[in-house]
Amino acid sequence: MKIAVLGTGTVGPTIAGALAGLGHEVVIGTRDPEATLARTGPGLMGAAPFAQWHAGHSQIGVATFADAAAGAEIVVNATNGGGSLDALTAAGAANLAGKVLVDVANPLDFSQGMPPSLNPVNTDSLAEQIQRAFPEARVVKTLNTMTASVMVDPAGVAGGEHSVFVSGNDVDAKETVTWLLKGFGHRDIIDLGDITTARGAEMIMPLWLRLWGALGTGHFNFKIAR
Ligand code: NAP
């Protein structure tokens, strides 16, 4: 399928590379393709500069948020939570209308220092904000509860014996996302319900962040035993 992955941090390239490896036609979206390709400094957490990553994935296009979304059947939001609404506004409501919009972002708020808190939280979620702002997009929250490498290679943690959640109003969109998740190797895919259930998935982040500190690694995931 034609998939736009909006985001050039750690998650965007990780998901884009995995999708391309599965045979999808992938374009990465960014605010300014030229500036992004000119970045030479390391990414967050020592990730390779974007251009270096792209040199090894030259089949993946790099475009503005709008151009990437315009040509896609599915759009993945892998942008910074604080910038997601701006990024999707730049992508353009018309380019998102009717499309599955996979939201993997977390609304982390670093304004009070570390560890970050969430904004919005509890009675709202970033996924709901996105669905309200783009009512014609079919938003599905997923994958935000694990680190990027685990998103696309679940077998790398406990042989893949762990869980991933989906939240969204559109049943067909959740089926499409479930199919994508199975392509990555996820087996325990739990449909939490409508888009308001994304509050729960986003509110796992405070626990995830403390586990990261306690375990000294982000390479873990949650298993819902039942
Ligand atoms: P990030 O640094 O959080 O986000 C980078 C992306 O956000 C870039 O594409 C950047 O655009 C865009 N961006 C930042 N501010 C923006 C603004 N004001 N307007 C428009 N776009 C803006 O990268 P990340 O670590 O890959 O995380 C991406 C998302 O996934 C985040 O929401 C994060 O919370 C979530 N998440 C991350 C992980 C992980 O393992 N890192 C795991 C689960 C969920 P440019 O391309 O133009 O620079």
Side-chain angles (χ1 to χ4, degrees):
M1 295 189 78
K2 292 183 175 179
I3 304 182
V5 179
L6 311 184
T8 60
T10 305
V11 177
T14 301
I15 289 182
L19 290 171
L22 290 168
H24 296 288
E25 199 178 314
V26 184
V27 176
I28 282 216
T30 181
R31 282 171 287 197
D32 180 343
E34 214 172 298
T36 299
L37 284 165
R39 279 185 211 152
T40 53
L44 277 182
M45 317 271 296
F50 183 82
Q52 192 178 319
W53 173 85
H54 189 246
H57 297 82
S58 52
Q59 80 277 31
I60 296 176
V62 183
T64 62
F65 288 135
D67 287 346
E73 297 162 280
I74 295 175
V75 178
V76 178
N77 174 38
T79 62
N80 188 275
S84 287
L85 287 170
D86 286 344
L88 292 167
T89 299
N95 291 327
L96 301 174
K99 295 181 183 171
V100 176
L101 175 51
V102 186
D103 175 35
V104 308
N106 281 308
L108 300 179
D109 177 359
F110 293 88
S111 62
Q112 306 302 314
M114 290 291 283
S117 54
L118 293 171
N119 183 19
V121 68
N122 200 30
T123 54
D124 199 5
S125 61
L126 177 60
E128 289 167 87
Q129 289 187 333
I130 292 171
Q131 185 64 84
R132 284 198 300 273
F134 303 96
E136 291 183 67
R138 301 187 288 152
V139 180
V140 179
K141 186 96 203 180
T142 193
L143 288 175
N144 66 302
T145 54
M146 64 197 78
T147 200
S149 56
V150 180
M151 294 179 186
V152 300
D153 181 24
V157 170
E161 285 301 319
H162 44 82
S163 311
V164 61
F165 310 106
V166 291
S167 301
N169 296 338
D170 188 300
V171 172
D172 290 342
K174 284 192 284 193
E175 261 176 35
T176 300
V177 172
T178 297
W179 170 73
L180 284 176
L181 293 171
K182 285 182 178 166
F184 290 151
H186 289 280
R187 297 197 293 267
D188 188 25
I189 301 165
I190 301 177
D191 183 348
L192 295 177
D194 70 15
I195 198 68
T196 66
T197 65
R199 294 174 200 177
E202 292 181 9
M203 287 166 66
I204 284 180
M205 278 322 288
L207 175 59
W208 189 95
L209 288 161
R210 271 68 177 190
L211 282 165
W212 183 32
L215 301 175
T217 174
H219 207 244
F220 62 86
N221 197 14
F222 299 98
K223 166 67 185 168
I224 306 306
R226 72 268 200 205

